[in-house]
Amino acid sequence: MSEPSSPPLLELERLSCHFPIRGLLGRRAGTLRAVDDVSLSLREGEALGIVGESGSGKSTLGKTLGGIHDPTDGVIRLAGEPIATQRSRRPLSVRARLQYVYQDSGASLDQRWTLRRSLHEPLVIHTDWSREHREAKVREIAGAVGLAEEHLDLYPHELSGGQQRRAGLARILVLGPQIVVFDEPTSGLDFSVQATVLALIRGIRRMFNLTYLMISHDLNVVGSMCDRLAVMYLGRIVEIGPTREVLGRPRHPYTRSLVDSLPRIGGPRVTDRLGMPGEPVFPADMHQGCGYRTRCPIGTLACTRIDPRLVIKEAHGVACLEWRP
Amino acid sequence: MTALLEIRDLCLAFRTDKGPAQVLDGVDLTVAPGEIVGLVGESGSGKTSLARAILGALPVPQAEIASGRIRLDGVDMLRGGKAAESLRGRVVTFVPQDPLDSFNPLFRVGTQLADIMRYRAPPAKEGRFGNARHARETAILEMLDAVQLPQSRALLDRYPHQLSGGQRQRVMLAMALLPQPRMIIADEPTAALDVTVQVQILGLLRRIAAERGVAILFTTHDLGAAWEICDRIIVMYAGQIAEILPRTAFFAKSRHPYTRMLLASLPEPGREAIGISGESASPLSPPPGCRFHPRCPMASDICRKARPLPSRSEDGHLVACHHPWAAASSPAHV
Ligand SMILES: Nc1ncnc2c1ncn2[C@@H]1O[C@H](COP(=O)(O)OP(=O)(O)OP(=O)(O)O)[C@@H](O)[C@H]1O
Ligand SMILES: Nc1ncnc2c1ncn2[C@@H]1O[C@H](COP(=O)(O)OP(=O)(O)OP(=O)(O)O)[C@@H](O)[C@H]1O
Ligand code: SF4
Ligand SMILES: [Mg+2]
Ligand SMILES: [Mg+2]
């Protein structure tokens, strides 16, 4: 870990990514605030988990970091230096250091190429290694993510969903990046492979002092893989803090409902006592007030008017008007 | 109750450059109306291939069904020609594992939903003004509400890549529900959803099974989700059925060594999950006898030579293993 005085490895300051909503005849009818005013920082070697409602902007945040989306506003700093927000304007070295691993990782593989070619490709672009050197790396990483050598000659459509996922992961890891955004790295994988993939990530983290953001719906996964956890709702961070604190003593009512909805094998079924009250609002309809108010069991009139800000106490932040220390 | 879906001795192979990949080997299973059956097993065990076989959606020149039969609602789905074709997408629908690949990227989501309503669904009740198009649109919006996508009109104008992963998954689910099928084959339908939405979707599936008698074959790696909604669970290993058992037995009284090892690799707070050591069986050269034997701590000579025949006990618990655990022993003893 770096000295407290040195700047964080990765810093986002008031990052926003909005999408236009097109109405009739393609006219701009509104704005979808997919990521709205998000600030956070990571120290070298740190692992931050991101959980939250589906559609709350987790992937958009990850893609903005990876330079796939252009932010509407805000700054990204790498080791204190602002970097170009657009991937194409980032120098190759920055691109290789900061990588985003797709949620539908099958989509990141070229359907016309064998796996071997897909895995060689990033090395061809980013390194001047010989073919043998590349091949050795490709085999090492393929083996590490649990793909057999015979898989390297297959095309994506010849692989099962889980095998495609591992291939997508391998494609990023061959480059030896410094910061990686993993978007749902284990969804759709069986536990045995999940355990392997997570062990692999832990291994690279140790070996290369990797810093990562891990987006996941699986609280067990982020619980075991991340030092800190950020909870997103409608484009904003509503809670952030040490993982154990956030899951053990959630401060935001949304985080509480997440923890309560977790199926508990052997326990009473959550679907027996169904019901999250209210409905999620559409991000475009939010003009003021707390985004969670339509579902919140403890909301008051003030929540419809005042934007809750992230209040941080003892390294644990929450954005809720009703929270009291 | 008579089965809605009945599969007997299904053997499926894919032709590849390296010879045939034997992906399903002698699969037998039934699903009754209103029943929710979970299909679990490691990656590559053949779950999606099984689903595709039922739906007649296997890649055409490569897939070869060597033997077996699939009957849905009395119709032969493998050789049933037009009769089978008319069931697909109407009586039986599919929620695919990878939603992004399954949409047509060139059309707006709303167009794709409207096509389903038009060509696959029973005619919507006509609105007050006898406007069929209006009635269809209402039905679509109501369905999107039901799958937890409220105020979805704006969503209809977007292209598939403009939706979040979980939104795509719920739109896919809506597309499978709109035709009012009698059976739904759902391949990992909640993998991309946060748990608060997942619970709602699982609850919705349980309701349509209970209230409308819809049968659901539910493929999942998420044993928490399986615990929530399945009546029975089928455990597959390398294209063979290892064990079939009621939900509560699965978690407490499984007998097959693979099932027990699968449960032991469940991630739990405070414990680093253990994977199952050894490589999964390659379908190009599956091990003889029991396909699990190279990874099985109980394996003996007979396991390497003879395929274990399934044995069934009164409570509907079926296990295919030469050395099964006694049902009474606790699964902690793996
Ligand atoms: N390219 C795009 N154009 C317009 N809207 C988009 C685009 N990409 C995403 N969105 C919208 O932005 C919001 C955030 O999407 P995002 O994919 O970041 O969500 P997410 O938190 O990753 O959700 P999930 O858990 O379902 O993957 C959603 O409402 C989504 O529909
Ligand atoms: N078109 C194809 N050609 C050759 N092999 C194939 C083809 N499709 C699938 N396979 C192989 O069949 C096996 C079973 O694949 P399938 O997709 O059914 O697995 P699955 O159980 O759904 O796995 P996952 O949990 O990863 O989705 C895999 O070994 C895969 O490599
Ligand atoms: S048949 Fe043998 S190898 Fe297969 S699971 Fe049973 S004990 Fe193990
Ligand atoms: Mg996402
Ligand atoms: Mg599959």
Side-chain angles (χ1 to χ4, degrees), chain B residues 5 7 10 12 24 29 39 46-58 70 88 92-97 184-187 217-219 236:
Chain B
L5 174 73
I7 298 182
L10 187 67
L12 165 74
L24 295 177
L29 64 90
L39 197 56
K47 304 179 297 295
T48 301
S49 304
L50 178 61
R52 291 195 175 279
I54 301 167
L55 291 149
L58 290 166
I70 302 178
R88 298 192 178 115
V92 56
T93 59
F94 186 40
V95 185
Q97 180 169 12
I184 298 172
I185 299 177
D187 203 0
L217 187 64
F218 176 77
T219 300
M236 296 230 317

Side-chain angles (χ1 to χ4, degrees), chain A residues 264-292:
Chain A
R264 291 205 164 66
I265 291 171
R269 299 203 264 190
V270 187
T271 42
D272 286 341
R273 55 166 173 88
L274 252 189
M276 164 170 277
E279 298 196 322
V281 292
F282 191 68
D285 298 335
M286 268 259 308
H287 297 298
Q288 58 171 2
C290 170
Y292 192 58

Side-chain angles (χ1 to χ4, degrees), chain A residues 187-237:
Chain A
S187 96
L189 296 180
D190 63 78
F191 295 127
S192 178
V193 180
Q194 248 185 46
T196 318
V197 169
L198 295 181
L200 172 79
I201 295 176
R202 269 191 223 108
I204 343 175
R205 181 183 182 191
R206 264 195 303 270
M207 254 186 300
F208 304 108
N209 202 17
L210 185 75
T211 306
Y212 61 79
L213 284 95
M214 183 175 283
I215 300 170
S216 177
H217 286 304
D218 191 326
L219 299 183
N220 290 321
V221 166
V222 286
S224 71
M225 297 293 293
C226 303
D227 314 313
R228 280 195 303 149
L229 202 56
V231 182
M232 286 186 73
Y233 196 88
L234 282 185
R236 301 237 169 133
I237 290 183

Side-chain angles (χ1 to χ4, degrees), chain B residues 223-300:
Chain B
L223 298 188
W227 168 258
E228 282 292 328
I229 70 165
C230 293
D231 299 308
R232 273 192 306 147
I233 291 177
I234 300 178
V235 184
M236 296 230 317
Y237 183 81
Q240 298 179 334
I241 288 181
E243 192 164 15
I244 302 183
L245 65 180
R247 171 181 77 108
T248 46
F250 175 76
F251 292 99
K253 294 194 285 201
S254 61
R255 304 190 57 200
H256 198 285
Y258 173 63
T259 311
R260 294 215 168 182
M261 291 170 81
L262 189 71
L263 286 164
S265 56
L266 253 174
E268 253 176 36
R271 178 184 86 177
E272 273 189 19
I274 342 158
I276 300 176
S277 61
E279 274 197 33
S280 44
S282 158
L284 290 170
S285 49
C290 169
R291 288 189 174 181
F292 189 55
H293 85 249
R295 301 169 81 182
C296 181
M298 322 279 286
S300 68

Side-chain angles (χ1 to χ4, degrees), chain A residues 21-23 32 52-56 58-59 63 103-107 111 148-151 153-155 157-158 160-164 166 184 187-196 202 217-221 224 254 257-259 261-272 274-282 285 295, chain B residues 15-18 41-44 48 62 97-101 145 148 150-151 154-155 157-158 161 164-168 170 188 191-200 202-204 206-207 221-231 247 251 262 265-269 271-277 279-280 282 284-285 295:
Chain A
I21 300 174
R22 305 251 170 240
L32 192 151
E53 151 111 320
S54 164
S56 60
K58 303 179 298 296
S59 297
K63 288 180 190 168
Q103 178 167 10
D104 290 284
S105 56
Q111 298 299 315
E149 223 172 287
E150 59 208 55
H151 285 128
D153 295 315
L154 300 180
Y155 292 90
H157 72 269
E158 294 176 324
S160 81
Q163 289 160 344
Q164 289 190 20
R166 281 180 268 175
E184 303 282 354
S187 96
L189 296 180
D190 63 78
F191 295 127
S192 178
V193 180
Q194 248 185 46
T196 318
R202 269 191 223 108
H217 286 304
D218 191 326
L219 299 183
N220 290 321
V221 166
S224 71
Y254 172 67
S257 89
L258 266 185
V259 173
S261 307
L262 203 61
R264 291 205 164 66
I265 291 171
R269 299 203 264 190
V270 187
T271 42
D272 286 341
L274 252 189
M276 164 170 277
E279 298 196 322
V281 292
F282 191 68
D285 298 335
R295 301 167 99 180
Chain B
R15 295 186 190 91
T16 74
D17 294 347
K18 297 195 165 173
E42 69 185 356
S43 184
T48 301
Q62 298 99 321
Q97 180 169 12
D98 199 340
L100 192 53
D101 284 355
D145 257 7
Q148 301 289 305
Q151 301 166 53
L155 219 120
D157 288 333
R158 289 201 234 154
H161 75 271
S164 83
Q167 288 165 339
R168 282 197 288 267
R170 280 169 287 171
E188 299 274 357
L193 304 176
D194 72 281
V195 281
T196 64
V197 177
Q198 171 180 305
V199 170
Q200 305 284 332
L202 294 176
L204 172 73
R206 263 183 92 184
R207 266 199 318 281
H221 289 301
D222 182 344
L223 298 188
W227 168 258
E228 282 292 328
I229 70 165
C230 293
D231 299 308
R247 171 181 77 108
F251 292 99
L262 189 71
S265 56
L266 253 174
E268 253 176 36
R271 178 184 86 177
E272 273 189 19
I274 342 158
I276 300 176
S277 61
E279 274 197 33
S280 44
S282 158
L284 290 170
S285 49
R295 301 169 81 182

